[in-house]
Amino acid sequence: MTPPPLADHLLKLFCAPDRLEEVQGDLHEEFQYQLRRVGVRRARWRYWWDVLGFLLSFALKRKSIEYSTTHLTNPTMIQNYFKIAWRNLWRKKAFSSINIAGLAVGLATCLLIVLFVQDELSYDRYNAKADRIFRMTLQGSIGGKELDIAYAPAPAGPAIQHDYPGVEAFTRLEEQGTFVIKYGNERFKEERVVFTDSSFFTIFSIPLLKGNRQTVLTEPNTVVLTESTARKYFGTQNPVGKSLTMGTMGLFRVTGVCRDVPSNSHFHYDFFGSYRSLHAREKWLSSGANTYFLLREDYPVEKLAAQSTQMVRKYLGPELKEFLGMSYDEYLRKGDRFEFQFQPITDLHLKSDREGELEPNSDEKYVYIFSAIAVFILMLACINFMNLSTAGSANRAREVGIRKVLGSVQRQLIRQFLAESVLITFLALLVACGLVIVVLPTFNQLATKTFGLDTLLNVRMITYTLAGCLVVGLLAGSYPAFFLSSFKPVSVLKGKLASGVRSGWLRNTLVTIQFVVSIGMIIGTLVVYQQLRFIQNKKVGFDKEQVLILHDTYVLGNKLNAFKAELAKQSQVASVSLAGYLPAGNSNSGFDGVRDVNAPAETSPYRLKTYRIDEQYLPTLGIRLALGRNFSKAFSGDSAAVLVNEATVRQFGWKNPIGQRIATMGDGSPGDRHTYTVVGVIRDFHFESMHQHIAPLIMLYGGDGYQLALRIRTENLPAFLKTLEQKWKAETDNPFSYSFLNERFNKMYESEQRIGKLFGIFAGLAVVIACLGLFGLVALTTLQRTKEIGVRKVLGASVASIVVLLSRDFLRLVMIAILIATPIGWYAMNRWLADFAYRIDLEWWVFGLAGFLAVAVALLTVSFQSIKAALVNPVKSLRSE
């Protein structure tokens, strides 16, 4: 009688072949014994029980052993993984150092960009009611000229709050220029002064340290200081109740002290004066202020915006009738328009670039660009890690083979290699944090930020950084882990790597991606640099060199003309002009509705920028006349004369501009309407940024006294400046302040200059990381072709031919990268240049130079390894196989 065949078959399936005969023999002997003792039926049941018991015991024992030695959460195994990982890193110090350095650079770059992007996205979100605060803006067109202004008419705030119950509160911000603030014997020049309504501290979440937020700005000639400003003027004394003299506006009583405005705000002021201190602003068409509304929680902004047409008709309609002599409907039929829009306050910093912004805003495209750069740089570092890890696969192959022979399963090896990857990444993170701390001051200067160690060491940032580091370690190590753990022990112990090692298409693809990114960033750097050179070297229509600007000369009062005449006598001064408006930065020019006197009455006025200048303005700034003459004291009627630029001539369509008469409408009241005769046409000059086309401009006679422009000779400049300061202090005790016109001109393009520098730095980092990846790929290839190189040398191949052989494939990858990166770079930089009205043309040599630089760097990287491999003694090469 035999045991149950099915039970025997089950035993064969689960019992190891080398133990099957012994186990099965014992069970068969037991079956024969039970057969004689208890009979056939019970002996068969006993046999099934013994087989199942043996299998269950074996399974439980195996599971227990496996759990205790291989389970992912087992502390002993985790410790073992990291101990072995550390030994491997320490054994290959050079290899590990390159790996850590590449990842550290990528992580440091990513950390810096994350700080930048996080800060840019946080603007104005410090306000507790940020989701309900909106800024009112004015859009439209006048005479076919588009209008896009950041401020609204000054009366809009109270009128709209009164008429629309969904508006909970409003506040206005209006600047009045620079002030010289006096307290006792102290004099300070203050540029960050604004006038606002009493509801300011209700709408904006800037804590008041002293004073009542409901009443601090309700009375005229009251002011709230920021904490740092109060300390500057009053030290540790309580400033509330004390008075300051604010320029020509007289005494202001301090009624409160607030925290400094957060750095991530779209405005930054030190003095908040009461809006009631200003003259009444009753006209909708001739007054403006940045106006903010706080809406009720149940009142959507879309509901308020839908009333825009009704608001314009109700509030602007009567003034349009008075101003233009036509109703709003007639104005619309002519193709012109007005409309109010309401911007979320959280969109202002990144999505608003209108006339009259309180400060230059950023652009959301730079957030996207730098976010993409962070991703690309980190991706390059991860690719570099993968290539270097797989490049060392031959050295780990025998280790993998022996581990598998000794019983290691693939998942154990995967965990081991992932542990190595995570360890390298965390070591790289430590190095990256050190790099960030070292370069943070320089980065702050480039990005105009104020990041400190507290920004890096907050709990949220540390948590996200560690979590991100773990993810990067697992992602970067995943491919090498699965790749190395897949080696077959029989093949590797015979000295043959798995076929997967030779299929390098993935690594080649990764290196190509690295160089696509690197070449694209080189193209971007070259184009930004070219555009900045174009701006600096372009003929701007005036001479910005050797022009010195003395600020705040209005404080001299009736001494100003005598002071100007005194300066004109100085040997180093060629000419002096009262220059209220300068062609650099914000022109601060007025806007007038200007119409041709001879045009039909129903013609809409044009919106032109207006300068007031004296007769020395043109020669001082080197602005040339195209037709006619300059202003002169010899012509008594020049108070009714005007100079226009060529853009104005084109705007009005004049063929013979000299003698043409124009009327400025002012605020629309009869007393503010003036008629002028054109006596000269000046050549177009760039009085604003080259982001805009040259706009029509008119110049009226009568210089404003806000500043003096001096054309000077620059020899012995320090002594001349000292003389100027002495003459200034002889006239007034106000601070002496000056600047140079060329510096102010260059300051307009600070943003582009910063972008150019950052692009250059990131492009350099991308190239370095890409070369490390290429270095790894070359190392892998030379290792795999060691025997081939030895055979070729024995057969007479020269070092040069072997270098060419090893370099050819890699240069092909770089050429493919150039072909891919060129159209991408052309498209991206065309989009960037579209923001400039005056721009360079993208020329072929830019892309050729970027490609040449990439090829040159790749050749240097490849040649180092190739020459090293070619110089190895062929006997050693053949013996190594």
Side-chain angles (χ1 to χ4, degrees), residues 553-808:
T553 50
Y554 71 90
V555 299
L556 297 175
N558 54 16
K559 300 178 184 178
L560 178 57
N561 287 328
F563 184 72
K564 175 189 172 186
E566 178 66 22
L567 294 183
K569 296 176 184 178
Q570 300 297 310
S571 60
Q572 283 189 263
V573 178
S575 61
V576 185
S577 172
L578 287 172
Y581 312 118
L582 291 168
N586 185 358
S587 64
N588 291 322
S589 59
F591 300 105
D592 271 314
V594 181
R595 66 194 315 168
D596 185 350
V597 170
N598 298 318
E602 65 275 8
T603 303
S604 293
Y606 292 108
R607 182 171 176 268
L608 305 185
K609 298 198 173 183
T610 307
Y611 278 15
R612 286 193 170 272
I613 66 170
D614 63 10
E615 68 279 1
Q616 292 298 317
Y617 189 86
L618 300 189
T620 300
L621 295 183
I623 298 171
R624 294 178 298 160
L625 279 166
L627 291 172
R629 65 173 177 85
N630 188 13
F631 294 128
S632 172
K633 290 181 179 179
F635 295 90
S636 59
D638 272 5
S639 59
V642 66
L643 301 179
V644 299
N645 67 349
E646 293 170 315
T648 303
V649 174
R650 292 190 295 272
Q651 178 85 71
F652 284 105
W654 292 328
K655 293 183 179 179
N656 299 303
I658 304 301
Q660 296 286 348
R661 298 174 68 220
I662 60 174
T664 60
M665 308 305 293
D667 63 5
S669 62
D672 202 34
R673 301 186 185 208
H674 302 280
T675 301
Y676 299 92
T677 301
V678 177
V679 297
V681 177
I682 58 174
R683 296 200 179 278
D684 283 339
F685 67 97
H686 291 276
F687 57 91
E688 292 182 309
S689 165
M690 289 190 195
H691 287 281
Q692 291 93 30
H693 290 283
I694 296 174
L697 173 70
I698 63 174
M699 292 182 165
L700 307 179
Y701 190 41
D704 289 319
Y706 287 104
Q707 51 199 351
L708 284 173
L710 291 74
R711 176 157 295 282
I712 62 173
R713 302 174 182 91
T714 54
E715 59 269 14
N716 201 11
L717 185 59
F720 174 66
L721 291 174
K722 189 174 181 179
T723 301
L724 278 183
E725 185 173 6
Q726 290 172 350
K727 291 185 176 297
W728 175 268
K729 289 183 176 179
E731 301 293 339
T732 177
D733 55 1
N734 287 290
F736 175 70
S737 178
Y738 68 91
S739 63
F740 290 94
L741 185 60
N742 58 350
E743 294 174 351
R744 291 175 62 160
F745 180 85
N746 292 333
K747 194 172 182 180
M748 289 193 293
Y749 306 101
E750 277 185 340
S751 174
E752 287 76 14
Q753 290 169 355
R754 289 196 301 270
I755 295 300
K757 289 177 182 177
L758 289 172
F759 253 110
I761 292 169
F762 292 142
L765 293 175
V767 170
V768 168
I769 295 174
C771 287
L772 286 174
L774 186 62
F775 182 89
L777 192 56
V778 176
L780 171 65
T781 303
T782 53
L783 185 65
Q784 291 175 342
R785 302 178 74 170
T786 300
K787 185 174 181 179
E788 176 189 346
I789 293 169
V791 172
R792 285 179 179 274
K793 290 195 71 176
V794 168
L795 295 177
S798 65
V799 172
S801 64
I802 292 175
V803 170
V804 170
L805 174 72
L806 294 174
S807 304
R808 185 173 53 204

Side-chain angles (χ1 to χ4, degrees), residues 50-324:
D50 290 340
V51 169
L52 292 174
F54 169 79
L55 294 179
L56 182 61
S57 174
F58 173 76
L60 289 175
K61 183 178 179 182
R62 181 174 180 179
K63 183 176 181 181
S64 174
I65 294 172
E66 183 177 333
Y67 180 86
S68 64
T69 58
T70 67
H71 198 269
L72 184 60
T73 59
N74 185 275
T76 303
M77 283 309 300
I78 293 175
Q79 182 181 0
N80 182 59
Y81 290 150
F82 282 102
K83 184 184 293 183
I84 295 172
W86 178 256
R87 287 174 180 171
N88 281 320
L89 293 179
W90 190 253
R91 189 181 304 120
K92 302 168 185 175
K93 298 182 185 66
F95 181 83
S96 302
S97 298
I98 294 174
N99 237 337
I100 291 171
L103 271 177
V105 171
L107 288 170
T109 304
C110 196
L111 274 174
L112 289 172
I113 294 178
V114 165
L115 288 176
F116 173 81
V117 170
Q118 180 179 278
D119 184 71
E120 289 290 289
L121 294 176
S122 71
Y123 265 69
D124 295 302
R125 297 184 188 276
Y126 67 88
N127 292 293
K129 305 170 185 175
D131 59 328
R132 295 193 284 132
I133 303 174
F134 298 86
R135 184 178 71 179
M136 184 178 183
T137 63
L138 180 62
Q139 279 71 41
S141 60
I142 299 178
K145 180 88 173 167
E146 286 299 312
L147 190 71
D148 191 9
I149 302 176
Y151 50 81
I160 289 176
Q161 185 187 23
H162 179 271
D163 291 352
Y164 295 92
V167 176
E168 184 175 316
F170 78 91
T171 192
R172 292 165 290 188
L173 296 176
E174 186 171 334
E175 297 178 350
Q176 292 290 308
T178 301
F179 282 78
V180 174
I181 310 294
K182 301 178 183 179
Y183 178 68
N185 296 324
E186 298 291 332
R187 302 287 187 276
F188 295 99
K189 177 184 175 183
E190 301 289 356
E191 297 180 346
R192 307 203 308 189
V193 180
V194 73
F195 293 86
T196 186
D197 293 284
S198 58
S199 55
F200 175 84
F201 292 102
T202 300
I203 294 177
F204 292 99
S205 301
I206 300 176
L208 266 177
L209 304 178
K210 297 182 185 297
N212 185 324
R213 75 173 51 246
Q214 305 296 331
T215 60
V216 282
L217 295 175
T218 54
E219 298 179 12
N221 287 67
T222 54
V223 65
V224 173
L225 310 180
T226 60
E227 186 178 13
S228 58
T229 305
R231 193 161 46 245
K232 180 172 76 171
Y233 281 88
F234 303 103
T236 57
Q237 299 178 37
N238 183 359
V240 175
K242 294 183 168 58
S243 295
L244 299 169
T245 302
M246 296 183 61
T248 58
M249 294 186 69
L251 287 175
F252 275 68
R253 181 167 52 88
V254 178
T255 54
V257 177
C258 66
R259 292 279 187 201
D260 289 351
V261 178
S263 60
N264 57 344
S265 174
H266 74 283
F267 60 79
H268 296 88
Y269 295 107
D270 298 320
F271 291 78
F272 296 91
S274 167
Y275 198 83
R276 294 185 61 193
S277 310
L278 305 178
H279 296 298
R281 266 92 166 132
E282 298 176 355
K283 292 289 185 180
W284 284 70
L285 288 176
S286 61
S287 63
N290 279 262
T291 304
Y292 303 84
F293 292 105
L294 175 65
L295 303 188
R296 300 189 188 281
E297 292 185 3
D298 58 346
Y299 193 82
V301 69
E302 292 79 11
K303 188 174 181 179
L304 186 63
Q307 306 297 318
S308 174
T309 303
Q310 179 183 333
M311 293 176 191
V312 171
R313 183 171 278 108
K314 177 178 179 179
Y315 303 126
L316 295 185
E319 289 192 20
L320 283 171
K321 183 71 174 177
E322 179 184 1
F323 187 70
L324 303 176

Side-chain angles (χ1 to χ4, degrees), residues 13 29 101 244 494 544 632 749 784 824:
L13 285 176
E29 288 180 9
L244 299 169
K494 287 182 179 180
K544 60 182 182 291
S632 172
Y749 306 101
Q784 291 175 342
I824 296 174

